[in-house]
């Protein structure tokens, strides 16, 4: 009973729109503060890594982007499941909003990783297990975006994407684990992630800042996209028209 | 006797799809020809040195089989969607699950199975060592079955769309990757003389999981596609 | 600050181009996310204003 | 059969912001026939698809024997026979094979005799084994209509059943409909043709429900 | 001034097709995505060892580019056929030749060109040595143009058929082979430090021949396809 | 213009061994309108495609101003405007872009003013820049019909021009046809609708020529 009523409330686009409106400035301020602060800290104040020199400073953008990109996919699949099971429209809007954000962050993870690889490994790209799985994650995101665009009808698009996101989520552990297995099977060149040991506590603190900043940033942009989507879907309702044309009346 | 009913339903659907596919011809022959042609392209692209080809053969054979299966997948539900028989499938009081299962199996019998049976010949073309032949066939038999089930999800999601074709690839290719990895490693391990049974067993597990779960996704996707 | 001079900060003992390129791209990507979200909202608002205007016009003609 | 067969309450549906119908209410009981009329694009096919449970693009209530259609899908579908305006048959298969499959979908097996009788009734004796793509458009339509006689149902939902059928065929089908209704069946159909029906029947003009 | 008229006709057709393709999006993005994905499949099939990948990269990149271009070819005339604008093209008193030329070029600009531009990134993924990058792009630019012209013949022949798809592959793949051989050998020679200009010149010759002759075949094929 | 415009002698065509028409003879001169009638599948579209030079599945003779159509294709096509029953427009392009392309195909460039005038005439003012797929079926058909006014021709061949057009639109088109014929144009059209035409015109019933 209470669960369903909470769902009902959370599922109401109108309530969500107003609630998220209050949250927005906090998210925006905090995320920018943490991101900017962490980056400046990491770029200019942390000592260089004894093995990698200064190139390790990419970590402050690389690791947050990678982590949030993965988290975003899970969020999307959960939203998809909620949409399919409880027919909650808001979940569909959240799902639609996550796809481009997640894809951008995955792209960022790939790009910063590649740029980091050049000075560290001497090559832009290796077929490391983790790297390969991120590439596949990127493809999964692209698939969802393309599927959504291909449908003309929004409801069908949302449902189809939800199915795909769930199937993908079931597959992600399998993919990740099989790629890991594949990589260790071949035992390729010596290049691979060196493990946590290299990270000093002094280096870790700015990382914590940018990591949490990136999560907040994700939440912020997600709200921005979702709110725009809410307005678009509910454009024929009175409350949306009142909000948009509020000044005129 | 619901189980007897289910079985006869499955058989009826299987029979219909296989007969239809055999009558049309192009449906089962095209993936085969594609398989043969693209495998024949590779020596032209990467050079004819036998040792190198032998090394690469498992990977190439598997990737191309995967592509052939992928390209054939688009037609899985499209014919039924276009002529309105898909609606009839949705409008029975019997469960959709066995029908979808039977359709996917029929599709596999017309694509994956012939591919697997033909693969030793292409193995010879690509200088695959004899030790790899049987494992190649076995891994393809199991693997293409899994590919068919995964592909069917994508086909069901895109059957109502005019774009079809490459969109399906986009959706389905990332999901194919575990199958590719285990399938090709079966053959490679066999060539190196290692124990390839664990990987084959893994493919069998994938198959069982796909058999049990993918029809659920397919049924859902079909309902969505018809309801547009 | 870890670096002694500003140019050292830019150069980062040879790795500067990699680091600064990464951060530059990040700013562009994250910034464009915000930009796209904003633009989508603006477009939606315009669309809704058009709907409202059309509605008002048609209701006034009925009267 | 005391509860009304099919009951539609306050049905609303739109496409691309255009309202197809709103506030649509009607009821279809055993022994009745309802014809949905309306100009092209007025939403006849859309309505039939909603009632067949193929489309969920609606708001409002659809009840079958007093129970919600979505919850009692299985009961409903076991009573329903829907013939859409698609071909409904596989062109490479023969009429016999097509109908065998249709029967198997309903859980009926070994029903060749009833299929042959149905094909006979729709005038396709002698064409049982010929591939459908070599039949004329009207004959193909007749294969689809033969399902009316080999699949038991108490509600027929027919979208433009007279398409491609010649005049004598139309009269025959009208007679079949009358017999079915007389035996306690319910029929819902669309057609642009003006129905020549021996019993009383209702015409529901969808044009009246648009943008209401 | 017939030449000015021809030029403006070519430009108008080019502009229309490019705009339409950009608006649809999927038309130019799908082959690209297919290219990227299938290139990424190969390491998964044959193993991640950088040296081995580097050796194979030219062949793989070329074969996959060829497949991507092939799969995109199907849509070249299909849209126009379906919406009846192809008939309009046939029913002008102006020659069909420049129109077909422009359509094929537009198609290349939306498939072959992006593929070529993107290829260095995939080169990086497949560990292609830096010396091969520029030759890869150059050979792909020229080669995909030839592929587009050859593919257009096949597309024109099959546009009226419902099967399309794989039938097109059967017709076109054998004709693609010379392009593949010369294209991949450009890259391989460049990596080995050899003179790759002769092969590139050969591709250029193919291109000129295709430019001059294939529109004739395409025009004929289109007339046949419309007249069914 | 002394030689007859379009002259058809002993035309014969078949499909899958079924004769669509045989021994078909008629003549269409400047200032005349001929309507091709006949039931579905009687070969109306096939005939128009033959006369437009799109189909060569016929035996017999088609002459344009006394000269064989195949030999004098260029002359003929420069005088012909054919509107088939396909959409005839690219859905992702705007009406303006579609018509610009149509004009370019005829070797006309910089004809935006005449295109705007044509769009105005078919009632699409204000929709010039909107993508055609977001227009209604009737509006899309009107885009196609706008070609009548921006492309000069002396022979119009129209396959079901009234499809999807509302009643007022039909009357307008009939008026355009009358004006065109009055100005010395020739029109050949098919329609299932009974033409309300101010001038005299000929109806050619294809049903009469079948299996002859
Ligand atoms: C899920 C995705 C990823 C996560 C969570 C992740 C996380 C990390 C972490 C924690 C480090 C620091 C490791 C250390 O210094 O010991 C690191 C380093 C690195 N990552 Fe990633 N990463 C991901 C994806 C990628 C990708 C896709 C690439 C390349 C395209 C990449 C390239 C690198 C490089 C070059 C380094 C530094 C070299 C090294 O420490 O060995 N990473 N990554
Ligand atoms: N898949 C679709 N996507 C978008 N709009 C659609 C779709 N299918 C139908 N419509 C729109 O819905 C409206 C109703 O269509 P529907 O097919 O129900 O009409 P109908 O009454 O059956 O017409 P007809 O007499 O031509 O069969 C039309 O305006 C049509 O444009
Ligand atoms: N592509 C084709 N392949 C085989 N038969 C065809 C084809 N196109 C038309 N036919 C056959 O040719 C005959 C005439 O078709 P046509 O389209 O000319 O008829 P129509 O008079 O225009 O009919 P309608 O009134 O429906 O437009 C029909 O019997 C049809 O089945
Ligand atoms: Mg209809
Ligand atoms: Mg016709």
């Amino acid at each position: 009973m209470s669960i369903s009523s909470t769902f009902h409330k959370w599922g109401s686009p109108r309530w969500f729109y107003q609630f998220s409106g209050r949250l927005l400035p906090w998210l925006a301020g905090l995320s920018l503060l943490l991101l900017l602060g962490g980056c400046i800290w990491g770029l200019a104040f942390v000592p260089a890594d004894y093995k990698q020199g200064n190139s390790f400073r990419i970590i402050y953008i690389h690791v947050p982007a990678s982590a949030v990109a993965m988290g975003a996919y899970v969020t999307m699949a959960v939203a998809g499941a909620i949409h399919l099971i409880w027919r909650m429209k808001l979940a569909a809007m959240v799902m639609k909003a996550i796809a481009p954000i997640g894809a951008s962050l995955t792209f960022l993870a790939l790009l910063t990783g590649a740029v980091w690889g050049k000075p560290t490994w001497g090559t832009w790209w290796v077929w490391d297990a983790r790297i390969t799985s991120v590439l596949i994650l990127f493809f999964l995101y692209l698939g969802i975006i393309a599927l959504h665009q291909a449908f003309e009808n929004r409801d069908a698009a949302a449902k189809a994407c939800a199915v795909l996101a769930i199937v993908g989520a079931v597959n992600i552990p399998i993919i990740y684990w099989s790629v890991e297995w594949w990589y260790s099977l071949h035992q390729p060149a010596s290049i691979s992630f060196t493990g946590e040991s290299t990270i000093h506590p002094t280096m870790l603190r700015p990382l914590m800042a940018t990591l949490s900043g990136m999560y907040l940033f994700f939440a912020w942009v997600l709200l921005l996209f979702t709110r725009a989507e809410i307005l678009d879907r509910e454009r024929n309702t009175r409350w949306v028209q009142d909000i948009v044309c509020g000044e005129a009346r | 006797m619901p189980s007897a009913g289910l079985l006869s339903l499955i058989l009826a659907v299987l029979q219909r799809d296989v007969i239809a596919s055999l009558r049309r011809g192009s449906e089962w022959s095209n993936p085969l020809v594609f398989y043969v042609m693209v495998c024949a392209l590779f020596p032209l692209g990467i050079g004819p040195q036998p040792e190198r080809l032998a090394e690469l053969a498992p990977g190439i054979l598997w990737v191309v089989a995967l592509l052939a299966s992928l390209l054939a997948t688009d037609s899985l539900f499209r014919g039924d969607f276009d002529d309105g028989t898909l609606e009839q499938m949705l409008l029975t009081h019997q469960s959709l699950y066995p029908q979808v299962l039977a359709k996917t199996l029929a599709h596999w019998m017309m694509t994956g199975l012939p591919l697997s049976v033909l693969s030793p010949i292409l193995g010879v073309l690509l200088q695959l060592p004899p030790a790899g032949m049987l494992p190649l066939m076995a891994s393809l038999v199991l693997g293409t079955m899994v590919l068919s089930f995964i592909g069917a999800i994508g086909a069901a999601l895109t059957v109502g769309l005019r774009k079809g074709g490459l969109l399906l690839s986009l959706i389905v290719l990332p999901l194919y990757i575990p199958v590719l990895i285990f399938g090709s490693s079966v053959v490679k391990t066999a060539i190196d003389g290692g124990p390839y049974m664990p990987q084959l067993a893994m493919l069998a597990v994938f198959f069982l999981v796909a058999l049990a779960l993918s029809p659920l996704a397919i049924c859902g996707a079909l309902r969505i596609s018809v309801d547009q | 600050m870890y670096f002694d001079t500003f140019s050292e900060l830019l150069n980062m003992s040879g790795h500067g181009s990699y680091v600064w390129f990464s951060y530059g791209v990040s700013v562009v990507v994250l910034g464009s996310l915000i930009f796209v979200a904003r633009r989508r909202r603006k477009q939606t608002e315009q669309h809704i204003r058009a709907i409202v205007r059309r509605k008002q016009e048609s209701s006034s003609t009925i009267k | 059969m005391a509860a009304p067969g099919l009951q539609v309450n306050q049905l609303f549906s739109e496409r691309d912001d255009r309202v197809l119908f709103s506030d649509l209410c009607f009821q279809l009981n055993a022994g009745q026939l309802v014809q949905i009329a309306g100009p092209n694009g007025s939403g006849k096919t859309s309505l039939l698809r909603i009632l067949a449970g193929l489309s969920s693009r609606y708001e409002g209530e659809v009840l079958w024997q007093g129970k919600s259609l979505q919850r009692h899908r299985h009961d409903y579908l076991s009573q329903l026979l829907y013939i859409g305006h698609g071909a409904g048959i596989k062109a490479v298969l023969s009429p016999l094979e097509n109908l065998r499959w249709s029967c198997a979908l309903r859980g009926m097996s070994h029903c060749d005799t009833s299929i042959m009788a149905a094909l006979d009734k729709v005038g396709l004796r002698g064409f049982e084994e010929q591939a459908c793509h070599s039949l004329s458009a009207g004959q193909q339509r007749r294969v689809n209509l033969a399902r009316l006689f080999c699949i038991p149902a108490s509600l027929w939902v027919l979208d433009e059943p007279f398409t491609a059928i010649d005049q004598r065929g139309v009269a025959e089908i009208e007679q079949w409909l009358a017999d079915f209704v007389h035996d306690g069946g319910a029929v819902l159909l669309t057609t642009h043709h003006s129905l020549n029906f021996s019993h009383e029947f209702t015409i529901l003009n969808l044009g009246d429900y648009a943008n209401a």
Side-chain angles (χ1 to χ4, degrees), chain A, chain B, chain C, chain D:
Chain A
M1 175 68 210
S2 72
I3 288 181
S4 76
S5 69
T6 320
F7 250 91
H8 198 73
K9 190 173 158 196
W10 271 80
S12 146
R14 180 176 186 179
W15 180 85
F16 183 84
Y17 187 89
Q18 283 154 356
F19 170 75
S20 61
R22 272 177 275 140
L23 224 54
L24 271 185
W26 295 98
L27 282 176
L30 210 58
S31 71
L32 287 183
L33 188 77
L34 282 170
L35 274 181
L36 279 178
C39 284
I40 292 171
W41 190 359
L43 274 173
F45 294 95
V46 168
D49 186 79
Y50 70 102
K51 250 166 72 188
Q52 304 185 358
N54 281 313
S55 63
F56 95 99
R57 294 176 198 280
I58 294 176
I59 201 174
Y60 300 115
I61 198 77
H62 170 73
V63 170
S66 318
V68 178
M70 307 244 284
Y73 193 91
V74 179
T75 321
M76 184 170 71
V78 170
I82 292 176
H83 175 60
L84 280 190
I85 297 170
W86 286 287
R87 293 167 193 267
M88 190 164 123
K89 272 190 190 160
L90 181 61
M93 304 184 205
V94 169
M95 192 182 63
K96 182 186 172 192
I98 290 180
I101 310 175
S104 310
L105 290 178
T106 317
F107 173 75
L108 205 56
L110 285 170
L111 197 88
T112 52
V115 170
W116 195 358
K118 188 63 184 168
T120 319
W121 302 331
T123 170
W124 300 101
W125 186 266
V126 291
W127 290 92
D128 175 273
R130 184 147 59 167
I131 294 178
T132 308
S133 345
V134 176
L135 185 64
I136 298 170
L137 181 70
F138 186 53
F139 293 157
L140 287 173
Y141 273 123
L142 290 188
I144 298 230
I145 295 174
L147 186 65
H148 206 293
Q149 281 174 350
F151 277 88
E152 271 154 33
N153 168 239
R154 276 186 222 212
D155 296 326
K159 283 189 203 150
C161 286
V163 170
L164 184 60
I166 293 168
V167 171
V170 172
N171 264 282
I172 274 193
I174 301 177
I175 291 173
Y176 182 77
W177 160 82
S178 60
V179 167
E180 192 106 306
W181 181 84
W182 162 79
Y183 179 69
S184 56
L185 175 78
H186 291 285
Q187 309 211 331
S190 54
I191 300 164
S192 86
F193 289 105
T194 43
E196 305 298 309
S197 57
T198 48
I199 297 190
H200 249 262
T202 44
M203 302 172 177
L204 204 58
R205 260 174 244 129
L207 182 59
M208 288 299 125
T210 52
L211 190 59
S212 44
M214 190 65 90
Y215 272 112
L216 292 176
F217 180 85
F218 170 69
W220 175 34
V221 180
L222 178 57
L223 286 190
L224 287 183
F225 272 100
T226 312
R227 284 161 60 86
E229 183 69 15
I230 290 176
L231 288 190
D232 196 26
R233 288 233 191 175
E234 310 270 302
R235 59 173 178 251
N236 286 326
T237 61
R238 187 61 195 260
W239 69 270
V240 164
Q241 294 177 353
D242 281 345
I243 286 178
V244 173
C245 308
E247 318 88 57
R249 294 185 188 186
Chain B
M1 355 163 254
S3 70
L6 272 195
L7 196 68
S8 75
L9 173 61
I10 289 184
L11 283 181
V13 173
L14 210 65
Q15 188 187 8
R16 162 185 185 258
D17 275 25
V18 169
I19 292 180
S21 168
L22 286 178
R23 292 240 175 99
R24 258 195 300 268
S26 68
E27 204 150 300
W28 60 270
S29 65
N30 279 352
L32 267 187
V33 179
F34 180 85
Y35 188 44
V36 174
M37 281 197 170
V38 178
C39 281
L41 282 186
F42 267 95
L44 297 173
I46 60 187
Q49 298 90 328
E51 318 79 52
R52 194 203 271 179
L53 275 183
E55 230 179 312
L56 300 175
I60 294 178
L61 285 169
W62 248 98
V63 172
V64 179
L66 184 152
L67 288 181
S69 154
L70 172 71
L71 294 180
T73 303
D74 188 40
S75 67
L76 216 170
F77 299 109
R78 191 164 299 278
D80 286 359
F81 182 83
D82 288 343
D83 62 22
T85 47
L86 189 58
E87 287 173 3
Q88 290 185 38
M89 287 173 53
L90 295 181
L91 288 184
T92 55
H93 57 289
Q94 306 237 26
S95 159
L96 191 54
Y97 190 109
Q99 301 178 44
V100 159
L101 201 69
K103 280 195 76 70
T104 314
L105 281 181
H107 183 254
W108 171 76
M109 283 167 62
M110 293 290 110
T111 56
L113 189 60
L115 282 189
S116 316
V117 172
L118 203 74
S119 57
I121 299 179
L122 291 166
V124 170
L125 264 186
L126 294 182
Q127 317 283 354
L128 186 76
M133 292 296 176
L134 211 68
L136 177 67
M137 278 182 73
S139 67
L140 278 178
V141 165
L142 270 176
T144 49
M145 205 128 56
V146 184
L147 295 185
S148 286
F149 277 109
I150 301 176
I153 301 177
L157 282 172
T158 54
V159 68
L161 304 174
R162 286 280 141 254
K163 323 238 166 136
L166 282 171
L167 174 64
L168 177 63
S169 329
L170 233 181
I171 293 173
V172 160
L173 272 183
L175 305 177
Y176 276 3
I177 283 171
V179 183
L180 172 65
I181 288 176
F182 280 92
S184 60
S185 96
V186 166
V187 189
K188 266 181 279 188
T189 322
I191 295 176
D192 298 345
Y196 58 86
M197 268 302 154
Q199 288 97 299
L200 212 54
M202 203 62 226
L203 282 182
V205 171
F206 285 170
F207 167 62
L208 292 177
V209 173
L211 188 71
L213 296 186
S214 71
L216 294 177
I218 300 170
C219 295
L222 284 179
R223 285 191 207 284
I224 295 164
S225 285
V226 168
D227 177 7
Q228 276 187 47
Chain C
M1 186 151 112
Y2 171 74
F3 297 96
D4 296 329
T5 65
F6 188 67
S7 66
E8 230 173 86
L9 173 66
L10 282 187
N11 185 24
M12 293 204 171
S13 53
H15 290 163
S17 50
Y18 298 111
V19 176
W20 289 112
F21 176 74
S22 305
Y23 278 80
V25 171
S26 309
V27 169
V28 171
V29 169
L30 300 184
S32 58
L33 274 178
I34 298 204
F35 174 76
V36 170
R38 288 266 151 98
R39 200 187 49 180
R40 191 165 296 174
R41 191 194 159 97
K42 290 227 176 70
Q43 283 170 348
T44 313
E45 281 182 352
Q46 257 170 18
H47 194 172
I48 293 170
R49 281 203 199 95
I51 290 176
V52 171
R53 218 176 304 128
R54 233 177 285 150
K55 213 165 67 178
Q56 281 167 350
E57 271 166 24
S58 65
S59 66
S60 63
T61 49
I62 287 170
K63 282 167 202 165
Chain D
M1 296 227 176
L6 192 68
Q7 190 175 352
V8 171
N9 290 335
Q10 309 228 305
L11 208 65
F12 166 90
S13 179
E14 64 178 0
R15 270 283 186 191
D16 306 329
D17 288 335
R18 198 166 67 78
V19 175
L20 294 180
F21 42 80
S22 71
D23 235 351
L24 180 70
C25 304
F26 72 96
Q27 185 164 325
L28 172 64
N29 291 322
Q32 287 189 342
L33 182 145
V34 171
Q35 176 191 357
I36 314 281
N40 284 131
S42 57
K44 301 182 294 298
T45 299
S46 307
L47 175 63
L48 292 200
R49 290 176 67 87
I50 288 171
L51 297 184
L54 287 172
S55 169
S56 58
R57 300 170 143 259
Y58 66 95
E59 287 159 32
E61 211 179 22
V62 183
L63 303 178
W64 171 246
Q65 297 181 342
K67 289 173 286 185
S68 154
L69 204 149
Q70 280 162 336
R71 304 250 185 81
H72 298 82
R73 217 182 139 71
H74 181 271
D75 284 359
Y76 179 59
L77 289 183
S78 67
Q79 294 301 313
L80 169 76
L81 181 57
Y82 170 80
I83 298 193
H85 64 8
I89 49 171
K90 270 260 158 287
V92 287
L93 298 182
S94 68
L96 190 59
E97 286 162 336
N98 268 302
L99 290 175
R100 265 196 211 130
W101 173 78
S102 284
C103 287
L105 285 192
R106 291 292 178 134
M108 296 148 55
S109 45
H110 310 296
C111 40
D112 277 15
T113 45
S114 73
I115 293 177
M116 293 304 271
L119 284 175
D120 211 18
K121 190 144 184 189
V122 297
L124 286 176
R125 151 161 289 174
F127 293 96
E128 303 91 2
E129 304 280 3
Q130 197 170 328
C132 285
H133 63 73
S134 67
L135 299 179
S136 86
Q139 287 173 319
Q140 293 190 12
R141 191 76 193 156
R142 281 161 190 262
V143 177
N144 207 356
L145 289 174
R147 290 198 294 138
L148 296 177
F149 303 111
C150 47
I151 291 173
S154 65
L155 171 64
W156 288 354
V157 175
L158 314 176
D159 199 354
E160 317 256 1
F162 306 114
T163 319
I165 302 284
D166 55 31
Q167 302 206 322
R168 212 164 61 85
V170 169
E172 272 173 24
I173 298 173
E174 280 166 348
Q175 188 53 48
W176 301 338
L177 295 180
D179 293 348
F180 181 65
V181 165
H182 185 80
D183 294 349
V187 177
L188 187 67
L189 87 167
T190 71
T191 177
H192 290 295
H193 154 97
S194 71
L195 214 56
N196 182 4
F197 196 64
S198 45
H199 296 242
E200 215 179 299
F201 68 100
T202 320
I203 297 185
L204 191 82
N205 197 325
L206 273 196
D208 306 343
Y209 291 85
N211 299 311

